[in-house]
């Protein structure tokens, strides 16, 4: 109960943050465990780099080094074989050991930890309570255990909700990777929950909602949010991030079951990405590939307006490549298509582009 009052910020107690150890503090911990005044710098650096300062990880690595005879006791003296460190591969063995230790937690605590890893590196109290369905007391009991063992640490408070984080990204990734629950359904459930909170005025980042829809089985939402984030990043001139979101939008579009909806969203994404390559990044070859992909996907009997716009973009692309013959060919096709659509404004723009080539 004392732990619960600590976590809720009662004035009667002092709230302690339990972060990963600094190298200096880790050195003190290892010295204590080994019964030595100091720990060799090479050994300390090796353990720190492989544990990120998390005591649980560090002590498991220490045990492993004893197993591999890199550390041993001889006539009551501690010995360290520095040259053996080079051939020691820590990650796989330590992962198994860490997972084994985590499975010793009560089932409700392990479930809490698995669901927290699904939320991400950081999570707030509202989201974890929603996913676990735990009452407040049960939630804080799990938190108290995991904070005490330094699996979790406190993070910066989000509005009126307490927030927590995993001790290291590697730990969160390890737990999430080995979580065998229905991740797609849980990501979908959480995404709709976050979307609802945002609609009620909470400061939830669009990217956070997007990340969960992207890993869910709701491909329509995954597509919509990926495209929204791509356009936002493009406006912010973060083109690499925009491209990543367009890749996710394309992946979601390709999973849509209805052919009409699938084709519509695929060509929309290719158009957005082609324009990004052409008008912002200046990669004409990649832009050409996407525009050709649009024509191949839509076909000559498809969306005439989209075909006309693609012809116009290809005309501009070939002009920039100084391929005037192809440039003229595509612009003439674009003009004819816009004339069929009676879109005389676009006819005028296309004629202007033709003039630029002739000029």
């Amino acid at each position: 109960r004392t732990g619960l009052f600590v976590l809720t910020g009662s004035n009667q107690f002092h709230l302690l943050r339990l972060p990963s150890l600094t190298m200096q503090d880790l050195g003190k911990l290892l010295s204590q465990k080994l019964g030595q005044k100091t720990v060799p710098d090479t050994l300390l650096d090796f353990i720190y780099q492989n544990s990120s300062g998390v005591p649980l990880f560090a002590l498991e690595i220490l045990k492993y080094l004893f197993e591999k005879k890199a550390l041993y006791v001889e006539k009551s003296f501690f010995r360290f074989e520095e040259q053996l460190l080079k051939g020691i591969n820590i990650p796989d063995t330590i992962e198994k050991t860490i997972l084994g230790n985590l499975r010793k937690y009560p089932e409700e605590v392990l479930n809490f930890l698995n669901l927290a890893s699904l939320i991400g590196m950081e999570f707030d109290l509202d989201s974890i309570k929603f996913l676990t369905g735990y009452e407040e007391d049960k939630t804080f009991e799990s938190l108290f255990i995991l904070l005490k063992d330094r699996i979790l640490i406190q993070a910066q408070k989000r509005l009126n909700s307490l927030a927590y984080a995993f001790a290291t990204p590697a730990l969160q990734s390890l737990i999430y990777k080995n979580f065998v629950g229905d991740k797609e359904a849980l990501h979908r459930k959480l995404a709709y929950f976050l979307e609802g909170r945002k609609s009620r005025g909470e400061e939830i980042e669009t990217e956070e909602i997007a990340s969960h829809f992207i890993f869910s089985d709701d491909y329509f939402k995954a597509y919509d949010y990926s495209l929204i984030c791509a356009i936002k990043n493009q406006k912010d001139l973060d083109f690499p991030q925009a491209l990543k979101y367009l890749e996710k939008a394309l992946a979601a579009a390709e999973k849509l079951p209805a052919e009409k909806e699938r084709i519509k969203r695929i060509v929309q994404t290719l158009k957005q990405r082609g324009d990004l390559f052409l008008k912002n990044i200046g990669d004409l070859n990649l832009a050409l590939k996407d525009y050709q992909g649009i024509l191949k996907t839509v076909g000559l009997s498809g969306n005439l307006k989209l075909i006309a716009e693609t012809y116009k973009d290809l005309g501009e692309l070939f002009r920039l490549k100084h391929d005037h013959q192809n440039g003229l060919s595509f612009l003439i096709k674009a003009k004819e298509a816009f004339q069929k659509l009676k879109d005389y404004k676009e006819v005028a723009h296309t004629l202007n582009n033709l003039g630029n080539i002739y000029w």
Side-chain angles (χ1 to χ4, degrees):
R1 284 292 181 183
T2 301
L4 302 184
F5 286 116
V6 171
L7 289 171
T8 54
S10 169
N11 292 330
Q12 298 177 349
F13 299 94
H14 179 63
L15 185 61
L16 294 175
R17 182 185 175 97
L18 298 172
S20 301
L21 299 179
T22 63
M23 186 177 287
Q24 183 179 4
D25 288 339
L26 181 62
K28 292 177 182 178
L29 174 65
L30 296 176
S31 296
Q32 182 182 26
K33 291 294 180 182
L34 293 169
Q36 303 291 311
K37 289 184 178 180
T38 60
V39 176
D41 290 341
T42 308
L43 176 61
L44 176 58
D45 183 68
F46 179 84
I47 294 177
Y48 184 80
Q49 293 301 323
N50 283 282
S51 69
S52 299
V54 179
L56 173 65
F57 288 21
L59 295 179
E60 292 302 334
I61 292 172
L62 192 65
K63 291 178 188 175
Y64 183 65
L65 293 177
F66 272 105
E67 291 174 9
K68 291 296 181 180
K69 308 300 182 185
L71 297 174
Y72 59 95
V73 177
E74 184 179 74
K75 296 180 180 178
S76 300
F77 288 99
F78 160 73
R79 303 293 186 206
F80 167 48
E81 297 292 342
E82 182 176 337
Q83 68 274 14
L84 292 181
L85 289 183
K86 296 178 182 178
I88 290 178
N89 183 19
I90 289 293
D92 290 343
T93 304
I94 296 303
E95 278 190 8
K96 291 176 183 176
T97 305
I98 293 168
L99 289 171
N101 283 334
L102 292 176
R103 292 188 185 108
K104 295 175 184 176
Y105 283 125
E107 185 177 344
E108 62 186 34
V109 176
L110 189 56
N111 181 56
F112 181 99
L113 196 57
N114 283 328
L115 292 173
S117 75
L118 183 131
I119 298 173
M121 178 61 190
E122 291 189 9
F123 59 93
D124 65 19
L125 198 57
D126 290 340
S127 291
I128 192 63
K129 284 173 67 178
F130 170 75
L131 273 190
T132 59
Y134 292 176
E135 296 294 333
E136 192 162 284
D137 281 0
K138 194 173 179 181
T139 298
F140 282 121
E141 285 169 5
S142 295
L143 278 169
F144 180 67
I145 292 169
L146 296 169
L147 286 167
K148 176 176 63 68
D149 290 347
R150 303 192 182 193
I151 302 299
L152 301 178
I153 60 174
Q154 276 199 290
Q156 187 174 354
K157 194 173 182 180
R158 293 187 180 186
L159 297 177
N160 297 320
S161 182
L162 293 170
Y164 304 89
F166 284 85
T168 68
L171 178 58
Q172 182 266 334
S173 177
L174 175 64
I175 294 170
Y176 178 75
K177 182 177 69 174
N178 288 275
F179 176 34
V180 295
D182 188 347
K183 292 179 183 177
E184 287 189 342
L186 287 166
H187 276 297
R188 182 183 68 246
K189 181 180 178 180
L190 180 59
Y192 276 105
F193 174 70
L194 293 171
E195 191 178 50
R197 289 174 62 183
K198 186 177 179 68
S199 70
R200 293 190 293 273
E202 290 193 48
E203 293 182 8
I204 306 293
E205 294 291 336
T206 302
E207 289 82 359
E208 184 177 1
I209 301 172
S211 68
H212 293 292
F213 274 125
I214 286 167
F215 285 108
S216 80
D217 51 7
D218 191 330
Y219 305 128
F220 280 103
K221 283 284 193 177
Y223 172 82
D224 289 341
Y225 270 95
S226 295
L227 196 61
I228 289 168
C229 290
I231 293 170
K232 178 179 178 292
N233 280 284
Q234 188 171 347
K235 288 179 179 178
D236 293 339
L237 305 182
D238 188 349
F239 302 138
Q241 194 66 17
L243 286 172
K244 288 180 182 178
Y245 276 114
L246 287 171
E247 286 292 331
K248 295 181 187 301
L250 193 58
E254 289 171 345
K255 293 177 182 177
L256 294 174
E259 183 180 10
K260 184 177 179 181
E261 295 298 328
R262 183 170 64 249
I263 289 174
K264 176 184 174 182
R265 285 165 174 77
I266 287 173
V267 297
Q268 187 178 1
T269 309
L270 291 174
K271 179 74 166 66
Q272 187 73 31
R273 191 172 66 178
D275 288 351
L276 177 61
F277 282 132
L278 176 64
K279 300 169 184 177
N280 297 109
I281 298 175
D283 193 322
L284 302 183
N285 291 328
L286 288 176
L288 175 61
K289 185 177 179 181
D290 280 343
Y291 291 144
Q292 288 173 334
I294 292 171
L295 295 178
K296 182 178 179 181
T297 303
V298 175
L300 295 176
S301 60
N303 186 323
L304 185 58
K305 182 172 175 59
L306 180 62
I307 291 171
E309 290 173 349
T310 305
Y311 283 155
K312 190 177 77 167
D313 288 333
L314 283 166
E316 176 64 9
L317 185 151
F318 281 113
R319 183 187 71 82
L320 293 172
K321 288 172 74 75
H322 303 290
D323 184 343
H324 295 155
Q325 184 176 351
N326 274 317
L328 288 170
S329 174
F330 279 110
L331 286 173
I332 290 169
K333 288 179 180 180
K335 179 178 71 69
E336 291 171 351
F338 284 127
Q339 285 173 334
K340 287 181 181 178
L341 292 165
K342 296 183 179 180
D343 189 339
Y344 299 116
K345 183 178 179 180
E346 283 298 331
V347 170
H349 287 160
T350 307
L351 288 171
N352 182 69
N353 289 351
L354 280 164
N356 289 335
I357 291 180
Y358 285 121
W359 179 263

